[in-house]
Amino acid sequence: MFELLGISSAGTQMIIVFFLLLALRVPVAFALGLSALYAMWIIGFGLELAGDLIATGITKFSLLAIPFFILAGTLMGSLGIAERMIRFFRVAVGDLPGGMGTVGTIVCLFWGAVSGSGPASVAAIGPMIIKGMEEDGYDRAFAAGLVVTGAAFSIVIPPSIGLVIYGVIAETSISQLFIAAIIPGIFMALIMVLVLPFAPRRIGTDGGVGTSNALHALSPHPYADVPRRVALWQSFRDSFWGLMTPVVILGGIYSGIFTPTEAAIVATVYALAVGAFAYRTLNAKALFDALGDAAASSAVVMLIVAYASLFGWVVTVDDLVGSYSSALLGLSENGWVILMVVMVILLIAGMFMDPVTVMFIALPIFLPVAREMGWDPVWFGVLVMVNLAIGLITPPVGINLYVAANVTKLSIEQVARGTMPFLLASLVGLIVVATVPQMSLILVEWLR
């Protein structure tokens, strides 16, 4: 068939087969593996190489950060650490403009920094945030859109699993990537908050926006019936050890006490210690459930990583990197034109594939282009993450949309409509991150 179409490159055939398998609804990991095996067969390499290539692809020390960050986030959810943090933010942010919309934005990003997974964040905190926003007068679909978007940017906010994978592929300092992502992550959150005043909200029975005293009603016991200052102090005291998690993780990385990979292990041990000694919520059942959930989530990611190593090997052997990157560089001598093309390709790819898959397929082609154009690899990594985060909220295969639809019992179309204002705002934020590289690099340069 490919001969009739004049396609002789095994690598190009592999990419076509990969998308055909996706169209047939074959799981992404297996589509990667099967298409790579097909290309190896076409090239004439023995398929017995596959096992060695897979082992080589996943036996990288930096990749240990993925299962341990996932486990740390799962433990914080099952041991009640995350719930205490969310209570604090509900009390602390409750009186700011935007009400529960602002609370939801902060909670999504903070929880995303703990879990590092967009879909997991939607499932874990989505029901509570959406319920609170409805009580505060927001439309249910709009509330779902906020959670979908806020959770998506968990792959930007450090410590980020996406940035770990980018650092491994690009052979770039993961610590510097974490530092560089802080300001863009906060900026994207501010962009989301700016959308809130334009959201239609119901008028409550007391004449105000939302239902009567909705935020007060949402404050959980024992904070609902005490003065605000007392509630703020009590909620901070109860959530202190959980709030210290990013301080321990990021502080240890930036001070050089441990590497990002070691930080993932420290985060896991820290969560266990807090659950066992500070909150006394650790028991055999909670630990077993957390280990099971983390193992399942880690397996999905690592299976993609394993089969993507085969895919990447074919890309290298067939010199797709050279031919495709040369074609991309030949489009224009203007670096901004090439950057725009790269961003559009990433956005379109993110509409159909998860971020991990997109990175393993696209980065081997785009990274040589970035080097040729003189783009800073740290800034480019942050830009890639923002692109792929937007892909998580873009139909037809935005993973967060499906999770939110399941949580809210709304249709995908309704959730997508609610997400649209945040999607447009996120695209504006993406343009700013792309055109102002110093936003990503200022902290990196300051800490060097």
Side-chain angles (χ1 to χ4, degrees), residues 44-136:
F45 282 95
L47 296 183
E48 62 272 10
L49 283 175
D52 291 337
L53 291 171
I54 289 174
T56 302
I58 61 175
T59 52
K60 296 177 180 177
F61 179 71
S62 299
L63 291 176
L64 281 175
I66 296 174
F68 280 105
F69 272 133
I70 291 175
L71 177 57
T74 305
L75 284 169
M76 290 183 183
S78 62
L79 299 181
I81 301 172
E83 181 182 355
R84 287 172 169 83
M85 292 189 290
I86 292 171
R87 286 178 179 178
F88 167 72
F89 285 121
R90 287 164 66 181
V91 174
V93 186
D95 291 336
L96 290 179
M100 273 301 298
T102 304
V103 175
T105 302
I106 294 175
V107 169
C108 282
L109 294 177
F110 195 92
W111 177 242
V114 173
S115 71
S117 169
S121 297
V122 175
I125 64 174
M128 183 181 66
I129 297 301
I130 293 169
K131 177 181 181 298
M133 288 184 67
E134 278 193 288
E135 292 286 340
D136 202 25

Side-chain angles (χ1 to χ4, degrees), residues 221-312:
H221 181 79
Y223 314 129
D225 301 318
V226 296
R228 175 173 168 73
R229 285 186 299 176
V230 176
L232 189 61
W233 163 247
Q234 289 180 347
S235 61
F236 174 76
R237 181 191 60 196
D238 292 345
S239 62
F240 174 78
W241 294 108
L243 294 172
M244 285 295 293
T245 305
V247 178
V248 171
I249 297 173
L250 301 179
I253 293 173
Y254 303 154
S255 63
I257 297 175
F258 40 72
T259 66
T261 303
E262 293 165 345
I265 301 172
V266 170
T268 301
V269 174
Y270 180 81
L272 288 170
V274 171
F277 302 113
Y279 298 148
R280 301 184 184 278
T281 52
L282 180 64
N283 54 52
K285 183 180 185 304
L287 180 59
F288 180 81
D289 290 344
L291 288 171
D293 291 343
S297 299
S298 300
V300 172
V301 177
M302 294 307 294
L303 194 61
I304 292 175
V305 172
Y307 287 130
S309 62
L310 283 182
F311 200 95

